[in-house]
Structure formats: C-alpha cells, structure tokens
Amino acid sequence: MDKLMITGGNRLDGEIRISGAKNSALPILAATLLADEAVTICNLPHLHDITTMIELFGRMGIQPVVGDKLNVEVNPTSITTLVAPYELVKTMRASILVLGPMVAHFGYAEVALPGGCAIGSRPVDLHIRGLEAMGAEITVEDGYIKARAPEGGLRGAHYFFDTVSVTGTENILMAATLARGQTVIQNAAREPEVVDLAECLIAMGAQITGHGTDTITVDGVERLHGATYSVMPDRIETGTFLVAGAATRGRVKLKDTDPSILEAVLLKLEEAGAQIDTGKNWVSLDMKGNRARAVNLRTAPYPAFPTDMQAQFMAMNAVAEGTGTVIETVFENRFMHVQEMSRMGARIQVEGNTAIITGVEKLKGAPVMATDLRASASLVIAALWADGDTLVDRIYHIDRGYECIEEKLQMLGAAIRRVSA
C-alpha cells in the first residue's frame, strides 16, 4: 500500500494545471447510458473512481474507447446486463448514479447499495422516492436496489427533496430526460457539477431549464443522441491547492480552472490575508511570505462554503495566527482528521459539530493515517508546513479525488514523494 512522505517547511511557489472535476465526470459518465448512440466525454481526470466507472460499463457489456488524455467514448447500445455488481460498486458511492439512467432508458436496473468514504449517512431513499414518484417499482433486497419502470416508461412528476442532495438531484434529473411529460424537481441541488451535468444532457438533446436554481424543470424527450462534451474543472482541487499555498505562506497560480464557481472559498482566503487575482480560466494566490490569519467558517450546500473544503481550511487554521471556528452542517462524521492533526501538534477542540482551532507557528511531522478523501488532503497540507517528516498512510483515499497530487506539489516546490509500504 502506497504512502506519501512529506518533508515540511517549503513555501509553495509556481504554476500548475487543474484537472477535470471528479464530481462532475462521474454523473456525466452515467448520463451516457441515456443515449442511443456514442457519446464522447473529454477532460476526465485520471482517477481510480473514473476507471472504476469505466470498468463497470465493461461489466455491463459496454466497451468504452479510451482516447488521448483520458477522453472516453461510450456507446451504451451494446449493453448486455442491467446489473451494477457489488464488487465494483462497494468502492464508489457515485455508482448509484447509474440507477436513474438505466431505469429511464432500459426499463430496469439492479444496483448494489454503494460504498465510498465513511463520512456520514448518505441515504439512498431520496433517489428511490424520486424514481417511485415517476412510476418506478423499487425493492431493496440482498443488498441491491432493484428498479423497474412501468409499462410505457417513467412518467413526469413533481418531486420535492426533503434534504438537498447532489447525487439525488442528478439521478432524478437524468431519469426525467426520457420520462413522459414534465418533471419539476424542487429543493434541487445548485452545485456547479449539477449545472455541468444538465449542460451535457442538453448537448445530448434533453429539454432542461432552471439548473443552477432550486427548481429544475425537465420536459421529457423520446431519445437522447450522441454528443461530445468536456467536463468542467475541479473546484475542490483548485481550492485545495490554494489553501496549501496559504498554509505555507506561498504563491501559486492555477490554470485551466474557473474562479467563478469558488467564490465562498476565495472570500475566506482573502479574509486569511491572501492576495487573490483571477482571470477567465485561472486564479492566483500570494501570501507575500506572511502567516495566514485564522478564519471562521460554516459549511452548507452551494453557493455557501463547501463541506469538501472544510478539512483543508482546518489545516490552514492549525498554523494560522489566532483562533478559528469551523462548523460542519452537512456530514456528521467529518472531523475524523482532527485526531491525526492533533498528533502533529495541532490545537483543536471539538464540541459536537464545531471545531475550535488555535493556530501554532509550526506543526511537527508524525506518522498519520487518512480516513477519507478530503481528510487526507488536509493531512498533506498540514505536513507541508510541519517540522520534519510526515508519513501519510492509506492514501488510496487521496488517489480517489486528486490526480497526481505529489507530482503537482513537487512542481510547486514541495518535498513530497510516494513510497511503497
């Protein structure tokens, strides 16, 4: 099992390119199942979850064609089985996203209950109830969700999400594109990744309005056709490298990204003392050698501060000037990195869903263990500004969400390398 060895103390300085967004690429790959001809998806990040989704398609009889720079052509007309097996689904929560497209296009789906990071309850009942509102008959047995469309296919429906759910919104949105009549999704997720999925579906011939707001309207069509679509840049990867620059008192420029989808994060970095400059497809941060100031933040659904950036800011606060408070409202188990950071000398007090962080001048290197995707990124950031060596274990988590993280950090001047156990 690989680990990351990091020698702290180097200020990050340089330019790197941001990869395509995993949280956009996975639903967009699932959306290709709706088409009746080949769809080509570009700017896919080279990540384990992406290759798992491609492998899942292979198990279903679809043979994706992988091109240069991990562009993938998917032709779902060769599908031979409508089952997403547990051995693939268990490693990837996003596999639930094939449920809606398969029921809508093929009339049936059998999808194992998903796995992924252990950061809190992620009920699939939101997905199930939405599909049931569209007429699907669904049972959960032997660890599988089994869904069957009614005679004549799914029907349009009005559906209100009790809780804002990104993957729930995406699943119902995809299913609605081929449903008979109109579907109105209320209390829909507004995340940029949902907008990106909707734009891809529109490129395939779907009739969608309201994406990016809390009410999405879909008028079902007879069929979706082929298209070529490029996945948006990863806003969480962008934010992670910006925070790493801030924590190390450095200067970084990130290319091939979109600062307009990162406003809550950029505001907090400015509050921390960073000089932020932006262009249409780039963003830069300059601390001018100064120590960051601690910031208070509260996570909430987009456009508020993203839960996927909470752990990284906690790492910055751990070496910042002053005391910062982090309130987590999205996931109940998302402070698992606190114990590992404390091993490095971080001063963090947790009370329920609130963490109070008092910054220290420098952390100390120590062996630490990643517990989930974003927690592992936070440990890397903490290690970059720690005295001595830090060995980060269980980095398969980080490989699920960050493409070539050690190479990119090396390009910014970090002393980091991958080692085999």
Side-chain angles (χ1 to χ4, degrees):
M1 192 182 294
D2 286 355
K3 304 178 184 185
L4 287 175
M5 173 63 78
I6 302 162
T7 303
N10 293 0
R11 289 180 183 171
L12 297 189
D13 191 346
E15 295 185 9
I16 55 170
R17 177 192 170 273
I18 293 300
S19 302
K22 179 192 81 151
N23 288 346
S24 199
L26 291 169
I28 284 173
L29 280 172
T32 63
L33 296 173
L34 291 160
D36 59 9
E37 55 191 15
V39 180
T40 300
I41 306 301
C42 309
N43 198 36
L44 289 170
H46 190 33
L47 297 171
H48 187 260
D49 279 9
I50 302 296
T51 51
T52 300
M53 184 70 94
I54 291 169
E55 188 182 345
L56 174 60
F57 285 173
R59 291 284 190 95
M60 293 160 65
I62 303 165
Q63 297 303 325
V65 179
V66 181
D68 293 343
K69 300 180 181 176
L70 211 69
N71 295 345
V72 173
E73 180 187 281
V74 181
N75 190 337
T77 57
S78 62
I79 197 163
T80 56
T81 177
L82 299 172
V83 177
Y86 175 70
E87 62 265 25
L88 284 174
V89 168
K90 67 181 179 181
T91 64
M92 186 180 63
R93 193 177 64 248
S95 52
I96 189 76
L97 289 165
V98 301
L99 181 65
M102 285 164 64
V103 178
H105 190 185
F106 303 108
Y108 183 78
E110 204 170 305
V111 181
L113 291 166
C117 292
I119 56 174
S121 64
R122 297 165 177 270
V124 297
D125 59 335
L126 296 170
H127 305 245
I128 291 172
R129 287 204 302 268
L131 291 170
E132 285 177 335
M134 300 167 78
E137 293 179 14
I138 300 179
T139 58
V140 180
E141 53 189 59
D142 304 324
Y144 279 79
I145 304 166
K146 299 179 181 181
R148 189 177 299 280
E151 193 82 27
L154 296 177
R155 304 183 298 267
H158 272 64
Y159 186 68
F160 180 88
F161 276 98
D162 293 339
T163 307
V164 177
S165 167
V166 173
T167 53
T169 299
E170 290 167 341
N171 234 336
I172 304 311
L173 171 62
M174 288 188 281
T177 60
L178 293 179
R180 286 179 290 125
Q182 187 176 84
T183 299
V184 178
I185 306 168
Q186 293 184 294
N187 201 26
R190 298 162 60 186
E191 270 72 2
E193 293 81 7
V194 175
V195 175
D196 205 29
L197 170 63
E199 289 296 330
C200 178
L201 291 167
I202 290 167
M204 294 161 61
Q207 302 284 320
I208 302 169
T209 57
H211 44 299
T213 76
D214 61 4
T215 302
I216 301 175
T217 302
V218 186
D219 289 300
V221 295
E222 286 280 319
R223 61 178 286 268
L224 293 184
H225 53 68
T228 298
Y229 192 80
S230 188
V231 171
M232 65 178 273
D234 195 318
R235 63 190 172 105
I236 304 302
E237 186 193 26
T238 303
T240 299
F241 281 107
L242 290 173
V243 173
T248 61
R249 312 182 187 187
R251 178 181 61 183
V252 296
K253 182 175 182 180
L254 309 177
K255 300 178 290 187
D256 294 343
T257 189
D258 181 358
S260 71
I261 55 177
L262 210 66
E263 289 179 354
V265 169
L266 298 183
L267 285 170
K268 284 296 172 187
L269 286 168
E270 287 182 323
E271 198 180 308
Q275 178 184 313
I276 300 289
D277 293 302
T278 62
K280 183 181 178 184
N281 61 353
W282 62 269
V283 58
S284 68
L285 171 144
D286 192 349
M287 294 301 294
K288 301 189 183 300
N290 297 321
R291 184 181 180 189
R293 296 190 294 268
V295 296
N296 300 324
L297 57 93
R298 180 188 189 93
T299 67
Y302 189 86
F305 190 90
T307 180
D308 277 358
M309 284 301 306
Q310 172 260 105
Q312 298 91 314
F313 267 82
M314 199 180 289
M316 184 196 77
N317 275 351
V319 293
E321 187 180 338
T323 299
T325 301
V326 172
I327 302 172
E328 174 58 59
T329 72
V330 180
F331 291 120
E332 73 272 18
N333 266 354
R334 213 158 198 183
F335 285 157
M336 292 191 290
H337 46 280
V338 169
Q339 190 173 351
E340 299 301 298
M341 274 191 210
S342 298
R343 288 166 51 78
M344 301 174 68
R347 295 171 60 191
I348 305 173
Q349 182 181 349
V350 175
E351 297 174 6
N353 69 336
T354 301
I356 301 159
I357 309 103
T358 302
V360 298
E361 186 72 31
K362 267 279 180 84
L363 296 173
K364 293 181 173 59
V368 293
M369 185 170 65
T371 51
D372 64 69
L373 171 53
R374 305 308 172 185
S376 56
S378 73
L379 296 176
V380 169
I381 292 171
L384 291 171
W385 200 245
D387 282 329
D389 293 339
T390 299
L391 190 65
V392 184
D393 199 355
R394 286 173 59 176
I395 62 165
Y396 57 83
H397 286 296
I398 210 165
D399 288 338
R400 285 186 45 240
Y402 293 91
E403 182 178 37
C404 307
I405 190 167
E406 70 273 21
E407 286 97 329
K408 290 186 178 184
L409 285 169
Q410 285 166 1
M411 290 171 68
L412 296 173
I416 178 172
R417 58 192 166 88
R418 187 172 292 247
V419 296
S420 296

